Amino acid sequence: MTAIDVRPDAEAMEAAVAAALRTVDANMAMFGDRYPGDTTVHNRYALRPPAAGQPEGANVGWTTSFWPGMLWLAYELTGDDAYRRSAAAHVRSFADRIERRIDVDTHDLGFLYTLSCVTPWRLTGDRRARRAALSAADHLLSRVLQPAGIIQAWGDLDDPQQRGRTIIDSLMNTPLLFWASETSGDPRYAATARRHVAQLRDHILRPDGTTFHTFYWDAETGQPLRGATEQGTADDSCWARGQAWGIYGFSLNHRYTQDPSLLRAAERCADYFLAHLPADQVAYWDLEFGDGSGEERDSSAAAIAASGLVDLAEQLPAGRRREHYLAAARAILASLIDGYSTAAHPESNALILHGVYDKPKGLGVDEGTLWGDYFYLEALTRAVRPKWTAPW
Ligand code: GLY
């Protein structure tokens, strides 16, 4: 694949990378081998609160891998061995987590193990990391419900509230399955991913190019049932981060399958997302809202889209649409640097501010988010290192 140069203003991008790395350095000293919370509180990350029977700072929840993910990005950006050592030290915790089945009743094993374990295997040949990632892929297969062929998103497979439910974010988890097939030679992982993604293309993506956050199938008959939201403003609204996961997720799944319908799905998600951005190009937390609404923005949706749009553009032939998505990615990233990054906020230990985790539940509203920080640094990495290979 031809690498694309997306450097709009190399100096501004390099300055933004340098500022981000200063924050990563300070966090490395503060967190050590433990994990920050999902989001900041008053713009600062503290250690992850105790959860799932584990102590403060433990490896639980769906976001812990974004921290070693940032460390691996820092290593790839600088070649500095201190980042490599710090990132590699997290493999032990992730291997232990999957061996002991600590808080792994989730489809988010893809987010967790792609960044924490597939990356060290790919970059350094760490065999323990490969084993842990394969074990996580096996566990993900145990969440498949037939005959629908979907991977249940959350909770116990017998939980009546969650049974048969999948969510748009799962598109980012299937790359772990494609990797597992590639590395093991066992085609079952990729076949599962293909079937799951086809179901999302047909049901979670709506005819107008918007997406449901979550969708239920009848677990016994496999019939598609209904869409519903959890983090958006309404079942029939378009949750901004979900739409951004749709852009990046369908694009990544196209990379693995070369199924043109998935590239088209990514474009449809992108077109709706871009048509519903406010003046500063950083989406409000639900695309229903715009300037003047008084609602909060979700900078993490913007960061995911800024990276995902470049991934999408790289898979299009040279021409107008490719340039359009690259220009949109550049505009979003420039706005994040200018208006949302913490370069001028030394009191914060996030990379970008003004994200929203879950507005309906009042979680992490107008805060830094661990995944927003990761995808911001990923989008910057794409901008300053056009030949860089994404981990997904
Ligand atoms: N994957 C969960 C979220 O985006 O909030």
Side-chain angles (χ1 to χ4, degrees):
M1 181 116 1
T2 320
I4 294 173
D5 190 340
V6 288
R7 283 173 287 194
D9 174 345
E11 219 171 291
M13 294 291 164
E14 293 288 358
V17 168
L21 291 180
R22 282 195 293 278
T23 303
V24 170
D25 292 346
N27 287 344
M28 234 160 76
M30 177 179 164
F31 301 139
D33 59 1
R34 293 188 291 173
Y35 298 90
D38 294 322
T39 72
T40 60
V41 177
H42 305 307
N43 294 336
R44 277 198 72 80
Y45 292 109
L47 284 176
R48 183 162 290 253
Q54 301 298 312
E56 183 182 58
N59 188 353
V60 291
W62 72 277
T63 64
T64 48
S65 60
F66 293 114
W67 173 230
M70 280 186 258
L71 293 169
W72 284 115
L73 290 177
Y75 172 59
E76 291 195 271
L77 281 161
T78 62
D80 183 337
D81 210 48
Y83 293 124
R84 185 195 59 74
R85 286 196 305 275
S86 184
H90 288 276
V91 169
R92 190 153 61 104
S93 171
F94 280 87
D96 180 61
R97 179 170 174 177
I98 193 68
E99 274 162 29
R100 295 169 58 208
R101 300 288 191 261
I102 298 169
D103 197 23
V104 290
D105 278 348
T106 171
H107 70 137
D108 287 321
L109 293 162
F111 281 118
L112 289 168
Y113 284 84
T114 302
L115 296 181
S116 68
C117 289
V118 176
T119 296
W121 160 247
R122 187 170 54 83
L123 295 181
T124 70
D126 182 334
R127 300 199 69 80
R128 183 177 191 188
R130 178 179 180 274
R131 278 196 302 279
L134 269 173
S135 177
D138 283 331
H139 197 60
L140 197 48
L141 288 192
S142 75
R143 299 187 64 75
V144 175
L145 296 179
Q146 299 294 4
I150 54 113
I151 302 166
Q152 183 172 313
W154 295 316
D156 192 283
L157 297 182
D158 293 326
D159 177 347
Q161 291 300 313
Q162 302 300 344
R163 188 160 166 77
R165 188 185 213 186
T166 188
I167 70 174
I168 182 82
D169 327 16
S170 64
L171 293 169
M172 301 295 291
N173 289 319
T174 47
L176 178 69
L177 298 177
F178 286 113
W179 167 82
S181 274
E182 279 175 9
T183 196
S184 69
D186 180 342
R188 286 178 308 136
Y189 305 98
T192 298
R194 279 176 187 272
R195 171 77 174 134
H196 175 84
V197 172
Q199 288 280 46
L200 265 64
R201 176 201 59 206
D202 293 346
H203 299 291
I204 217 160
L205 178 60
R206 303 180 185 119
D208 64 357
T210 63
T211 50
F212 287 113
H213 177 194
T214 86
F215 199 93
Y216 285 93
W217 278 258
D218 183 311
E220 273 56 57
T221 66
Q223 285 305 304
L225 296 177
R226 67 190 163 87
T229 200
E230 196 68 32
Q231 287 160 251
T233 192
D235 287 343
D236 60 357
S237 75
C238 187
W239 177 50
R241 192 158 66 253
Q243 194 75 5
W245 292 137
I247 298 169
Y248 205 166
F250 279 121
S251 176
L252 289 172
N253 283 283
H254 174 261
R255 272 193 190 278
Y256 284 102
T257 60
Q258 294 300 305
D259 174 347
S261 72
L262 300 183
L263 195 62
R264 185 69 201 118
E267 287 184 84
R268 289 172 60 206
C269 289
D271 292 345
Y272 190 90
F273 186 89
L274 296 175
H276 290 79
L277 292 183
D280 81 349
Q281 304 299 299
V282 174
Y284 287 82
W285 66 274
D286 193 295
L287 296 182
E288 193 137 301
F289 303 122
D291 288 334
S293 64
E295 294 289 338
E296 294 80 11
R297 286 185 170 70
D298 179 9
S299 58
S300 75
I304 295 160
S307 196
L309 285 164
V310 177
D311 191 78
L312 168 57
E314 282 181 350
Q315 297 179 78
L316 292 170
R320 197 182 53 80
R321 287 193 72 71
R322 175 155 122 164
E323 291 310 315
H324 166 67
Y325 292 133
L326 286 176
R330 280 196 288 268
I332 294 170
L333 185 56
S335 182
L336 287 174
I337 292 169
D338 288 349
Y340 296 79
S341 73
T342 51
H345 294 273
E347 73 283 4
S348 177
N349 59 354
L351 304 192
I352 53 172
L353 299 176
H354 307 303
V356 171
Y357 183 6
D358 187 333
K359 177 84 189 262
K361 297 190 193 65
L363 293 175
V365 177
D366 198 21
E367 296 285 356
T369 67
L370 213 46
W371 59 92
D373 285 357
Y374 170 81
F375 284 102
Y376 172 67
L377 193 55
E378 196 188 275
L380 282 173
T381 305
R382 287 186 186 276
V384 300
R385 301 279 185 277
K387 293 201 168 68
W388 173 75
T389 303
W392 306 102

